[in-house]
């Protein structure tokens, strides 16, 4: 689990591969085109996104939406920090791919120190089991605060939840 120390300089991620990260960027795209990119600045306490859609527009053109960065209040940032701490990113593998599915969803999650990408996790039609639901909760929370449409953050991945098997005791 990631532990964020909340001080005036911003959160200080402790331990694991997230240590020293200053930004987290999640990107997803899929058929029929377009993509969404979400950025959390861990020191400025801001959230930004870029949404590019290609539905219903002529080939070669796109429609882009780039809201201004949203700055979290201290209380909102505490919730963001809590959710980031529950993502289990440190335990994620580098690649998650299911090549048996065609025309699916590609995604990536990148950690940055300044302008340098220090870790990239990506997938195609497959997702980590642990922490994926928390990433969805994080994006839902941030998109809601930033005034984005309710389905902007919708992740295509599995919920990370497995059905509980019924246990019969005698």
């Amino acid at each position: 689990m990631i532990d964020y120390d909340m001080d005036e300089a911003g959160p200080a991620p402790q331990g694991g591969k997230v240590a020293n990260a200053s930004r987290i960027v999640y990107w997803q795209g899929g058929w029929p085109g377009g993509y969404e990119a979400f950025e959390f600045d861990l020191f400025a306490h801001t959230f930004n996104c870029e949404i590019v859609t290609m539905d219903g527009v002529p080939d070669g053109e796109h429609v882009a939406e780039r809201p201004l960065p949203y700055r979290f209040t201290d209380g909102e940032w505490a919730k963001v920090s809590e959710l980031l701490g529950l993502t289990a990113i440190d335990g994620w593998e580098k690649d998650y791919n299911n090549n048996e599915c065609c025309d699916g969803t590609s995604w990536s999650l990148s950690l940055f120190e300044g302008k340098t990408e220090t870790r990239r996790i990506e997938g195609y039609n497959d997702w980590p089991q642990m922490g994926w639901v928390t990433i969805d909760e994080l994006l839902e929370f941030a998109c809601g605060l930033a005034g984005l449409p309710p389905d902007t953050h919708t992740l295509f991945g599995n919920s990370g939840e497995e059905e509980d098997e019924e246990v019969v005791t005698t």
Side-chain angles (χ1 to χ4, degrees), residues 11-170:
Q14 304 293 317
K17 297 183 185 330
V18 182
N20 302 321
S22 59
R23 288 186 305 133
I24 296 176
V25 177
Y26 173 76
W27 176 95
Q28 67 182 14
W31 180 259
Y35 66 87
E36 301 164 340
F38 304 94
E39 176 184 42
F40 290 87
D41 186 315
L42 303 181
F43 291 99
H45 297 183
T46 59
F47 169 74
N48 205 353
C49 72
E50 178 179 55
I51 303 163
V52 175
T53 58
M54 299 180 80
D55 296 333
V57 296
D59 289 341
E61 295 182 25
H62 67 271
V63 178
E65 179 181 345
R66 293 180 189 89
L68 294 175
Y70 178 82
R71 181 162 176 77
F72 297 101
T73 65
D74 290 344
E76 293 165 347
W77 188 252
K79 175 74 172 176
V80 168
S81 295
E82 175 189 348
L83 290 171
L84 284 172
L86 297 173
T87 59
I89 293 171
D90 287 343
W92 289 5
E93 297 179 23
K94 183 178 178 182
D95 296 302
Y96 293 86
N97 292 300
N98 175 358
N99 294 319
E100 295 179 16
C101 181
C102 185
D103 295 336
T105 301
S106 296
W107 64 271
S108 67
L109 187 134
S110 298
L111 304 175
F112 291 85
E113 291 180 33
K115 294 182 180 183
T116 303
E117 184 177 48
T118 57
R119 183 163 186 222
R120 181 181 184 89
I121 305 162
E122 55 192 356
Y124 178 71
N125 297 320
D126 197 11
W127 298 265
Q129 291 295 313
M130 297 298 295
W132 198 252
V133 171
T134 306
I135 293 290
D136 188 55
E137 290 175 33
L138 176 63
L139 291 174
E140 179 178 4
F141 179 69
C143 287
L145 292 172
L148 295 169
D151 62 347
T152 300
H153 74 285
T154 303
L155 299 182
F156 300 102
N158 62 41
S159 67
E161 299 174 359
E162 296 181 20
E163 292 183 25
D164 293 332
E165 294 181 24
E166 187 174 327
V167 178
V168 179
T169 57
T170 56

Side-chain angles (χ1 to χ4, degrees), residues 1-7 11-21 90:
M1 180 179 290
I2 305 166
D3 181 22
Y4 288 89
D5 176 25
M6 303 296 291
D7 60 21
Q14 304 293 317
K17 297 183 185 330
V18 182
N20 302 321
D90 287 343

